[in-house]
Short mmCIF file of all heavy atoms in Angstrom, two decimals:
data_model
loop_
_atom_site.label_atom_id
_atom_site.label_comp_id
_atom_site.label_asym_id
_atom_site.label_seq_id
_atom_site.Cartn_x
_atom_site.Cartn_y
_atom_site.Cartn_z
N ILE A 1 0.59 -119.32 6.08
CA ILE A 1 1.13 -119.57 7.42
C ILE A 1 2.20 -120.65 7.32
O ILE A 1 1.99 -121.70 6.69
CB ILE A 1 0.02 -120.04 8.40
CG1 ILE A 1 -1.14 -119.05 8.40
CG2 ILE A 1 0.61 -120.22 9.80
CD1 ILE A 1 -0.79 -117.66 8.85
N TYR A 2 3.36 -120.38 7.95
CA TYR A 2 4.49 -121.32 7.95
C TYR A 2 4.99 -121.51 9.37
O TYR A 2 4.73 -120.69 10.25
CB TYR A 2 5.66 -120.77 7.12
CG TYR A 2 5.36 -120.46 5.68
CD1 TYR A 2 4.87 -119.22 5.31
CD2 TYR A 2 5.60 -121.41 4.69
CE1 TYR A 2 4.61 -118.92 3.97
CE2 TYR A 2 5.36 -121.11 3.35
CZ TYR A 2 4.86 -119.86 3.00
OH TYR A 2 4.61 -119.57 1.69
N GLU A 3 5.73 -122.58 9.56
CA GLU A 3 6.53 -122.67 10.77
C GLU A 3 7.58 -121.55 10.72
O GLU A 3 8.16 -121.28 9.67
CB GLU A 3 7.24 -124.02 10.88
CG GLU A 3 6.33 -125.18 11.23
CD GLU A 3 5.92 -125.20 12.69
OE1 GLU A 3 6.39 -124.34 13.46
OE2 GLU A 3 5.13 -126.08 13.06
N ARG A 4 7.82 -120.90 11.84
CA ARG A 4 8.81 -119.84 11.83
C ARG A 4 10.20 -120.46 11.58
O ARG A 4 10.55 -121.45 12.20
CB ARG A 4 8.82 -119.07 13.15
CG ARG A 4 9.65 -117.79 13.08
CD ARG A 4 9.28 -116.88 14.22
NE ARG A 4 9.92 -115.59 14.07
CZ ARG A 4 10.94 -115.16 14.81
NH1 ARG A 4 11.43 -115.95 15.75
NH2 ARG A 4 11.44 -113.96 14.64
N GLY A 5 10.94 -119.86 10.70
CA GLY A 5 12.25 -120.39 10.35
C GLY A 5 12.22 -121.39 9.21
O GLY A 5 13.25 -121.98 8.87
N ALA A 6 11.03 -121.59 8.62
CA ALA A 6 10.92 -122.53 7.50
C ALA A 6 11.68 -121.99 6.30
O ALA A 6 11.86 -120.79 6.12
CB ALA A 6 9.45 -122.74 7.15
N ASP A 7 12.15 -122.90 5.45
CA ASP A 7 12.85 -122.52 4.23
C ASP A 7 11.92 -121.74 3.31
O ASP A 7 10.69 -121.85 3.39
CB ASP A 7 13.37 -123.76 3.50
CG ASP A 7 14.41 -124.51 4.32
OD1 ASP A 7 15.08 -123.85 5.14
OD2 ASP A 7 14.54 -125.73 4.13
N ASP A 8 12.53 -120.96 2.40
CA ASP A 8 11.75 -120.15 1.48
C ASP A 8 10.85 -120.99 0.59
O ASP A 8 9.79 -120.51 0.14
CB ASP A 8 12.67 -119.29 0.61
CG ASP A 8 13.33 -118.18 1.42
OD1 ASP A 8 12.82 -117.87 2.51
OD2 ASP A 8 14.35 -117.64 0.96
N ASP A 9 11.25 -122.24 0.30
CA ASP A 9 10.44 -123.08 -0.59
C ASP A 9 9.53 -124.03 0.19
O ASP A 9 8.99 -124.98 -0.39
CB ASP A 9 11.35 -123.88 -1.53
CG ASP A 9 12.35 -124.76 -0.76
OD1 ASP A 9 12.43 -124.64 0.48
OD2 ASP A 9 13.06 -125.55 -1.42
N ALA A 10 9.36 -123.79 1.48
CA ALA A 10 8.52 -124.66 2.31
C ALA A 10 7.05 -124.54 1.90
O ALA A 10 6.59 -123.49 1.45
CB ALA A 10 8.69 -124.32 3.78
N THR A 11 6.33 -125.63 2.08
CA THR A 11 4.89 -125.63 1.82
C THR A 11 4.17 -125.00 3.01
O THR A 11 4.47 -125.31 4.16
CB THR A 11 4.38 -127.07 1.63
OG1 THR A 11 5.09 -127.67 0.55
CG2 THR A 11 2.89 -127.08 1.35
N PRO A 12 3.23 -124.09 2.75
CA PRO A 12 2.51 -123.46 3.87
C PRO A 12 1.74 -124.49 4.70
O PRO A 12 1.22 -125.48 4.18
CB PRO A 12 1.56 -122.49 3.19
CG PRO A 12 2.11 -122.28 1.82
CD PRO A 12 2.79 -123.56 1.45
N LEU A 13 1.68 -124.24 6.00
CA LEU A 13 0.83 -125.06 6.87
C LEU A 13 -0.64 -124.77 6.62
O LEU A 13 -1.50 -125.63 6.81
CB LEU A 13 1.16 -124.77 8.34
CG LEU A 13 2.59 -125.06 8.81
CD1 LEU A 13 2.76 -124.61 10.24
CD2 LEU A 13 2.89 -126.55 8.69
N ALA A 14 -0.90 -123.53 6.24
CA ALA A 14 -2.27 -123.12 5.94
C ALA A 14 -2.21 -121.97 4.93
O ALA A 14 -1.26 -121.18 4.94
CB ALA A 14 -2.99 -122.67 7.21
N THR A 15 -3.20 -121.90 4.08
CA THR A 15 -3.25 -120.82 3.08
C THR A 15 -4.70 -120.53 2.76
O THR A 15 -5.56 -121.44 2.79
CB THR A 15 -2.47 -121.21 1.81
OG1 THR A 15 -2.46 -120.10 0.91
CG2 THR A 15 -3.06 -122.42 1.12
N SER A 16 -4.99 -119.26 2.46
CA SER A 16 -6.36 -118.90 2.10
C SER A 16 -6.34 -117.60 1.32
O SER A 16 -5.46 -116.75 1.51
CB SER A 16 -7.23 -118.75 3.36
OG SER A 16 -8.59 -118.67 3.01
N ASP A 17 -7.35 -117.45 0.42
CA ASP A 17 -7.50 -116.25 -0.39
C ASP A 17 -8.77 -115.51 0.03
O ASP A 17 -9.79 -116.14 0.37
CB ASP A 17 -7.60 -116.60 -1.87
CG ASP A 17 -6.33 -117.24 -2.42
OD1 ASP A 17 -5.31 -117.20 -1.69
OD2 ASP A 17 -6.37 -117.77 -3.54
N TYR A 18 -8.73 -114.18 -0.07
CA TYR A 18 -9.87 -113.36 0.33
C TYR A 18 -10.05 -112.25 -0.71
O TYR A 18 -9.32 -111.25 -0.70
CB TYR A 18 -9.64 -112.74 1.71
CG TYR A 18 -9.19 -113.73 2.76
CD1 TYR A 18 -7.83 -113.99 2.95
CD2 TYR A 18 -10.10 -114.39 3.56
CE1 TYR A 18 -7.41 -114.90 3.92
CE2 TYR A 18 -9.68 -115.31 4.53
CZ TYR A 18 -8.33 -115.55 4.70
OH TYR A 18 -7.91 -116.44 5.66
N PRO A 19 -11.00 -112.38 -1.64
CA PRO A 19 -11.25 -111.31 -2.61
C PRO A 19 -11.82 -110.08 -1.91
O PRO A 19 -12.72 -110.18 -1.07
CB PRO A 19 -12.29 -111.92 -3.56
CG PRO A 19 -12.26 -113.40 -3.30
CD PRO A 19 -11.86 -113.55 -1.87
N LEU A 20 -11.30 -108.90 -2.24
CA LEU A 20 -11.71 -107.67 -1.59
C LEU A 20 -11.99 -106.59 -2.62
O LEU A 20 -11.22 -106.40 -3.56
CB LEU A 20 -10.61 -107.16 -0.65
CG LEU A 20 -10.20 -108.03 0.54
CD1 LEU A 20 -8.99 -107.42 1.23
CD2 LEU A 20 -11.35 -108.18 1.51
N ARG A 21 -13.08 -105.89 -2.43
CA ARG A 21 -13.37 -104.69 -3.21
C ARG A 21 -12.94 -103.49 -2.35
O ARG A 21 -13.47 -103.30 -1.26
CB ARG A 21 -14.85 -104.60 -3.54
CG ARG A 21 -15.28 -103.29 -4.14
CD ARG A 21 -14.83 -103.17 -5.57
NE ARG A 21 -14.91 -101.79 -6.03
CZ ARG A 21 -14.67 -101.41 -7.26
NH1 ARG A 21 -14.32 -102.31 -8.16
NH2 ARG A 21 -14.75 -100.15 -7.62
N LEU A 22 -11.93 -102.74 -2.77
CA LEU A 22 -11.35 -101.69 -1.94
C LEU A 22 -11.46 -100.33 -2.59
O LEU A 22 -11.13 -100.17 -3.77
CB LEU A 22 -9.87 -102.01 -1.65
CG LEU A 22 -9.61 -103.30 -0.85
CD1 LEU A 22 -8.11 -103.58 -0.78
CD2 LEU A 22 -10.22 -103.20 0.54
N GLU A 23 -11.92 -99.37 -1.82
CA GLU A 23 -11.97 -97.98 -2.25
C GLU A 23 -10.67 -97.29 -1.86
O GLU A 23 -9.85 -97.84 -1.13
CB GLU A 23 -13.18 -97.28 -1.62
CG GLU A 23 -14.52 -97.93 -1.91
CD GLU A 23 -14.84 -97.96 -3.40
OE1 GLU A 23 -14.38 -97.05 -4.12
OE2 GLU A 23 -15.52 -98.90 -3.85
N ALA A 24 -10.49 -96.07 -2.35
CA ALA A 24 -9.30 -95.30 -2.00
C ALA A 24 -9.31 -94.97 -0.52
O ALA A 24 -10.36 -94.74 0.09
CB ALA A 24 -9.23 -94.02 -2.83
N GLY A 25 -8.11 -94.98 0.08
CA GLY A 25 -7.98 -94.66 1.49
C GLY A 25 -7.55 -95.87 2.29
O GLY A 25 -7.01 -96.85 1.76
N GLN A 26 -7.79 -95.82 3.59
CA GLN A 26 -7.40 -96.90 4.50
C GLN A 26 -8.62 -97.63 5.01
O GLN A 26 -9.67 -97.04 5.24
CB GLN A 26 -6.58 -96.34 5.68
CG GLN A 26 -5.23 -95.85 5.28
CD GLN A 26 -4.30 -95.64 6.48
OE1 GLN A 26 -3.15 -95.34 6.28
NE2 GLN A 26 -4.78 -95.82 7.69
N LYS A 27 -8.43 -98.92 5.22
CA LYS A 27 -9.54 -99.75 5.70
C LYS A 27 -8.97 -100.93 6.46
O LYS A 27 -7.93 -101.48 6.08
CB LYS A 27 -10.37 -100.24 4.50
CG LYS A 27 -11.49 -101.22 4.84
CD LYS A 27 -12.18 -101.66 3.56
CE LYS A 27 -13.13 -102.83 3.77
NZ LYS A 27 -14.24 -102.56 4.64
N GLN A 28 -9.63 -101.31 7.53
CA GLN A 28 -9.25 -102.51 8.26
C GLN A 28 -10.09 -103.68 7.77
O GLN A 28 -11.29 -103.54 7.54
CB GLN A 28 -9.44 -102.32 9.76
CG GLN A 28 -8.25 -101.67 10.45
CD GLN A 28 -8.33 -101.81 11.95
OE1 GLN A 28 -9.35 -101.52 12.55
NE2 GLN A 28 -7.26 -102.24 12.57
N GLN A 29 -9.45 -104.81 7.65
CA GLN A 29 -10.15 -106.00 7.20
C GLN A 29 -9.77 -107.18 8.09
O GLN A 29 -8.59 -107.49 8.27
CB GLN A 29 -9.78 -106.34 5.75
CG GLN A 29 -10.44 -107.59 5.22
CD GLN A 29 -11.95 -107.44 5.08
OE1 GLN A 29 -12.43 -106.46 4.53
NE2 GLN A 29 -12.71 -108.41 5.59
N TYR A 30 -10.78 -107.81 8.68
CA TYR A 30 -10.56 -109.00 9.51
C TYR A 30 -10.73 -110.25 8.66
O TYR A 30 -11.68 -110.37 7.87
CB TYR A 30 -11.55 -109.04 10.67
CG TYR A 30 -11.31 -108.00 11.72
CD1 TYR A 30 -11.93 -106.75 11.63
CD2 TYR A 30 -10.47 -108.24 12.79
CE1 TYR A 30 -11.71 -105.78 12.59
CE2 TYR A 30 -10.24 -107.27 13.75
CZ TYR A 30 -10.86 -106.05 13.65
OH TYR A 30 -10.63 -105.08 14.59
N VAL A 31 -9.81 -111.19 8.83
CA VAL A 31 -9.93 -112.50 8.18
C VAL A 31 -9.53 -113.57 9.19
O VAL A 31 -8.78 -113.31 10.13
CB VAL A 31 -9.03 -112.61 6.92
CG1 VAL A 31 -9.44 -111.58 5.88
CG2 VAL A 31 -7.56 -112.45 7.27
N VAL A 32 -10.05 -114.76 9.00
CA VAL A 32 -9.79 -115.87 9.91
C VAL A 32 -9.19 -117.02 9.12
O VAL A 32 -9.61 -117.30 7.99
CB VAL A 32 -11.08 -116.33 10.63
CG1 VAL A 32 -10.81 -117.53 11.52
CG2 VAL A 32 -11.66 -115.18 11.45
N ILE A 33 -8.21 -117.69 9.74
CA ILE A 33 -7.59 -118.84 9.10
C ILE A 33 -7.36 -119.92 10.16
O ILE A 33 -7.10 -119.61 11.33
CB ILE A 33 -6.25 -118.45 8.42
CG1 ILE A 33 -5.75 -119.56 7.50
CG2 ILE A 33 -5.20 -118.05 9.44
CD1 ILE A 33 -4.62 -119.12 6.58
N GLU A 34 -7.49 -121.17 9.75
CA GLU A 34 -7.25 -122.29 10.66
C GLU A 34 -5.81 -122.77 10.50
O GLU A 34 -5.32 -122.93 9.38
CB GLU A 34 -8.20 -123.44 10.36
CG GLU A 34 -8.02 -124.63 11.30
CD GLU A 34 -8.97 -125.78 11.01
OE1 GLU A 34 -9.78 -125.65 10.07
OE2 GLU A 34 -8.88 -126.80 11.72
N VAL A 35 -5.14 -122.99 11.62
CA VAL A 35 -3.79 -123.55 11.63
C VAL A 35 -3.92 -124.97 12.18
O VAL A 35 -4.03 -125.17 13.40
CB VAL A 35 -2.83 -122.72 12.50
CG1 VAL A 35 -1.41 -123.30 12.44
CG2 VAL A 35 -2.82 -121.26 12.05
N PRO A 36 -3.94 -125.97 11.32
CA PRO A 36 -4.21 -127.35 11.78
C PRO A 36 -3.17 -127.82 12.81
O PRO A 36 -1.97 -127.56 12.66
CB PRO A 36 -4.13 -128.17 10.49
CG PRO A 36 -4.33 -127.18 9.39
CD PRO A 36 -3.74 -125.90 9.86
N ASN A 37 -3.67 -128.50 13.84
CA ASN A 37 -2.80 -129.08 14.87
C ASN A 37 -1.84 -128.05 15.46
O ASN A 37 -0.65 -128.31 15.67
CB ASN A 37 -2.01 -130.26 14.31
CG ASN A 37 -2.90 -131.33 13.71
OD1 ASN A 37 -3.87 -131.76 14.34
ND2 ASN A 37 -2.60 -131.74 12.48
N ALA A 38 -2.36 -126.85 15.69
CA ALA A 38 -1.51 -125.73 16.13
C ALA A 38 -0.91 -126.00 17.50
O ALA A 38 -1.57 -126.49 18.42
CB ALA A 38 -2.33 -124.45 16.16
N LYS A 39 0.37 -125.65 17.62
CA LYS A 39 1.04 -125.67 18.91
C LYS A 39 0.86 -124.30 19.57
O LYS A 39 0.90 -123.27 18.89
CB LYS A 39 2.53 -125.98 18.74
CG LYS A 39 2.82 -127.35 18.17
CD LYS A 39 4.32 -127.58 18.02
CE LYS A 39 4.62 -128.95 17.43
NZ LYS A 39 6.09 -129.16 17.25
N LEU A 40 0.71 -124.29 20.87
CA LEU A 40 0.44 -123.04 21.58
C LEU A 40 1.74 -122.39 22.03
O LEU A 40 2.76 -123.04 22.24
CB LEU A 40 -0.47 -123.30 22.78
CG LEU A 40 -1.82 -123.96 22.47
CD1 LEU A 40 -2.66 -124.07 23.74
CD2 LEU A 40 -2.56 -123.20 21.39
N TRP A 41 1.67 -121.08 22.19
CA TRP A 41 2.81 -120.29 22.68
C TRP A 41 2.71 -120.15 24.20
O TRP A 41 1.64 -119.87 24.74
CB TRP A 41 2.81 -118.90 22.04
CG TRP A 41 3.98 -118.04 22.42
CD1 TRP A 41 5.13 -117.86 21.71
CD2 TRP A 41 4.12 -117.24 23.60
NE1 TRP A 41 5.98 -117.01 22.38
CE2 TRP A 41 5.39 -116.61 23.55
CE3 TRP A 41 3.32 -117.00 24.70
CZ2 TRP A 41 5.86 -115.76 24.54
CZ3 TRP A 41 3.78 -116.16 25.71
CH2 TRP A 41 5.04 -115.55 25.62
N SER A 42 3.83 -120.32 24.89
CA SER A 42 3.89 -120.14 26.34
C SER A 42 5.34 -119.82 26.71
O SER A 42 6.25 -120.06 25.92
CB SER A 42 3.42 -121.39 27.08
OG SER A 42 4.35 -122.44 26.91
N PRO A 43 5.59 -119.31 27.91
CA PRO A 43 6.98 -119.06 28.33
C PRO A 43 7.83 -120.32 28.32
O PRO A 43 9.03 -120.25 28.03
CB PRO A 43 6.83 -118.50 29.75
CG PRO A 43 5.48 -117.86 29.76
CD PRO A 43 4.63 -118.76 28.90
N GLU A 44 7.22 -121.46 28.63
CA GLU A 44 7.97 -122.72 28.63
C GLU A 44 8.26 -123.22 27.21
O GLU A 44 9.27 -123.87 26.96
CB GLU A 44 7.20 -123.80 29.40
CG GLU A 44 6.98 -123.49 30.87
CD GLU A 44 5.89 -122.47 31.11
OE1 GLU A 44 5.00 -122.34 30.23
OE2 GLU A 44 5.93 -121.77 32.15
N ASP A 45 7.37 -122.92 26.29
CA ASP A 45 7.52 -123.36 24.91
C ASP A 45 7.03 -122.24 23.99
O ASP A 45 5.89 -122.24 23.52
CB ASP A 45 6.71 -124.64 24.66
CG ASP A 45 6.88 -125.16 23.24
OD1 ASP A 45 7.81 -124.70 22.54
OD2 ASP A 45 6.07 -126.01 22.82
N PRO A 46 7.88 -121.25 23.72
CA PRO A 46 7.46 -120.09 22.93
C PRO A 46 7.41 -120.41 21.43
O PRO A 46 8.24 -119.95 20.64
CB PRO A 46 8.52 -119.03 23.26
CG PRO A 46 9.74 -119.82 23.62
CD PRO A 46 9.25 -121.08 24.26
N HIS A 47 6.42 -121.21 21.06
CA HIS A 47 6.31 -121.67 19.68
C HIS A 47 5.71 -120.56 18.82
O HIS A 47 4.62 -120.05 19.10
CB HIS A 47 5.44 -122.92 19.59
CG HIS A 47 5.49 -123.59 18.25
ND1 HIS A 47 6.44 -124.53 17.93
CD2 HIS A 47 4.73 -123.42 17.14
CE1 HIS A 47 6.26 -124.94 16.69
NE2 HIS A 47 5.23 -124.27 16.18
#
């Protein structure tokens, strides 16, 4: 996770790895990540 518009060499705000055992075909996978001190999106401040 990065700030939008961050440089290509920017340090991620958050990062996480998820090992997966996957069979052939399609599958949905839910994962959760914390964005520390996250700013919220709104019409007044579309962060």
Side-chain angles (χ1 to χ4, degrees):
I1 307 298
Y2 302 88
E3 287 285 356
R4 191 162 187 253
D7 295 334
D8 289 341
D9 58 352
T11 302
L13 299 175
T15 184
S16 192
D17 296 348
Y18 311 89
L20 298 173
R21 171 74 196 184
L22 297 173
E23 303 299 330
Q26 290 195 175
K27 175 182 169 64
Q28 275 194 310
Q29 179 67 49
Y30 290 91
V31 298
V32 177
I33 193 167
E34 182 180 0
V35 183
N37 304 311
K39 296 180 181 179
L40 303 184
W41 183 97
S42 69
E44 297 76 25
D45 182 14
H47 191 88

